[in-house]
């Protein structure tokens, strides 16, 4: 396929979410046989996928909100110790199909349809999907990241989907909490191994909270109800969710059965949490590790970053009804990940990207959440990582036996690398660094998708 030159559409601006490596790239690139420093582990056979905003066909000015940009998927395919290819492709939506000279995607447009899909990219039942929250249906992608169709999971998804479905290693199912502006409920959804969804419960939320993430324990689903809510005054100006000091800050614990009579709410510190690292039951308590933003979308309404984002542990005492907070890491961080085989269970190690002021990125961290000790991996001068993805060594049950893999922006060459770090030698030199020919803009989420799932 010829490379697409969209340079005439790109207009640089002073908005920080359009500057430096936040700025969109204007071409779709395909590159083969990428240069590698070090050795890619032979057993890594599959794709490292990533997605983020890359605005196209929308104003790129002071009003642009980082969360609203057109989706762009990025992928690197590894096999036999080689980096076979890198590809980036727009996630086609109804706004961009025209400028991209493509037909609108086939498939449903359920409910209050949200167009842009830019927040996560993952495998569901053997298919690759780009996903988004707040009313958007997933877009199914081909192995090589071309958009193929909108999907409502074979007609089983009533409304939109979510950015953060959570995989349960015990059952193979995905758990999700969806919300959208026109609905007064949060929907607790489970997607089965067959890729079909079912709604387990509808939780009343008439005040319209933004619920970006969820987690589960062996017995409960974690519901975050925090003071960022739908704001009608912002509709039409971009992103319609803002800080709302009048709204409660609370955590709900719902039995996994969805029995609403068992739903309990616990007061939390006034803050916003985009991401939960993990959660688990421990005696008469429920423990959840979260990245807490002390405030967001209050003064700065183009993206996060107006206050500290810190990793904290919330311990909810089911007997006393109180939630206690413990600071796990003073330095700012975001995009928490861990070994997914420990989802919903007691665990020890988590990984984040450093993020001073919420969005100034740099090294990655390995957090020992039992001891509070943090290790740092510094990628070198001018280098900044986003979400560090943990990939377990095949057959190993040791929690940190594997690799941390991430896209790392290198300002010295204005391009990105994929860097593979031994998670048990976290501060040491990388195992391998794969040089991409272009940069991958700072964006949101991604996953390792092995070829054999
Ligand atoms: Fe997220």
């Amino acid at each position: 396929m010829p490379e697409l030159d969209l340079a005439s559409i790109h207009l640089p601006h002073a908005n920080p979410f359009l500057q430096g490596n936040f700025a969109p790239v204007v071409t779709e690139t395909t590159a083969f046989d990428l240069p590698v420093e070090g050795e890619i582990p032979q057993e890594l056979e599959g794709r490292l996928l990533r997605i983020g905003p890359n605005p196209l066909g929308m104003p790129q000015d002071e009003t642009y909100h980082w969360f609203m940009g057109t989706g762009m998927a990025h992928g690197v395919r590894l096999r036999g110790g080689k980096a076979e290819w890198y590809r980036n492709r727009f996630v086609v939506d109804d706004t961009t199909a025209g400028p991209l000279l493509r037909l609108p995607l086939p498939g449903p447009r359920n409910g209050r349809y949200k167009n842009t899909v830019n927040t996560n990219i993952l495998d569901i039942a053997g298919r690759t999907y780009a996903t988004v929250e707040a009313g958007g249906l997933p877009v199914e992608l081909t192995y090589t990241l071309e958009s193929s169709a909108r999907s409502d999971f074979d007609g089983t998804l009533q409304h939109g989907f979510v950015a953060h479905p959570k995989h349960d290693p015990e059952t193979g199912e995905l758990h999700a909490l969806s919300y959208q502006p026109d609905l007064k409920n949060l929907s607790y959804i489970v997607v089965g191994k067959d890729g079909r969804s079912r709604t387990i419960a509808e939780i009343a939320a008439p005040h319209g909270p933004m619920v970006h993430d969820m987690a589960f324990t062996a017995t409960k689903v974690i519901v975050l109800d925090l003071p960022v809510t739908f704001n009608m005054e912002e509709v039409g100006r971009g992103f319609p969710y803002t800080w709302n000091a009048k709204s409660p800050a609370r955590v709900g614990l719902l039995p996994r059965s969805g029995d609403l009579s068992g739903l309990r709410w616990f007061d939390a510190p006034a803050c916003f949490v985009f991401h939960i690292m993990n959660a688990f039951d421990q005696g008469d308590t429920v423990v959840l590790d979260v990245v807490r933003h002390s405030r967001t979308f209050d003064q700065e309404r183009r993206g996060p970053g107006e206050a500290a984002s810190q990793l904290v542990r919330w311990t909810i005492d089911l007997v006393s009804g109180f939630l206690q907070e413990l600071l796990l890491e003073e330095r700012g961080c975001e995009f928490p990940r861990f070994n997914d085989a420990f989802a919903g269970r007691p665990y020890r190690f988590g990984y984040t990207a450093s993020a001073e002021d919420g969005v100034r990125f740099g090294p990655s961290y390995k957090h020992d959440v039992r001891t509070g000790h943090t290790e740092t991996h510094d990628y070198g001068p001018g280098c900044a990582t986003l979400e560090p993805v943990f990939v377990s060594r095949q057959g190993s049950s040791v929690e940190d036996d594997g690799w941390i893999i991430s896209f790392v922006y290198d300002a010295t060459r204005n391009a990105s690398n994929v860097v593979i770090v031994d998670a048990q030698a976290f501060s040491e030199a990388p195992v391998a660094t794969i040089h991409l020919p272009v940069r991958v803009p700072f964006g949101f989420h991604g996953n390792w998708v092995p070829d054999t799932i």
Side-chain angles (χ1 to χ4, degrees), residues 119 133 163-164 212-213 274-275 335 387 444-445:
T119 317
E133 66 203 48
H164 286 289
H212 181 68
D213 198 3
F274 289 98
H275 300 121
F335 300 112
E387 186 176 47
F444 302 136
H445 297 289

Side-chain angles (χ1 to χ4, degrees), residues 184-221:
K184 303 300 183 190
N185 291 333
L186 310 174
S187 303
Y188 170 35
I189 295 169
V190 171
V191 182
K193 285 192 284 187
D194 59 0
R196 295 166 69 83
S197 74
R198 59 189 193 275
T199 302
I200 307 297
E202 297 280 2
I203 302 163
H207 52 296
M210 177 183 178
V211 185
H212 181 68
D213 198 3
M214 61 87 73
F216 59 82
T217 71
T219 62
K220 296 176 180 64
V221 172

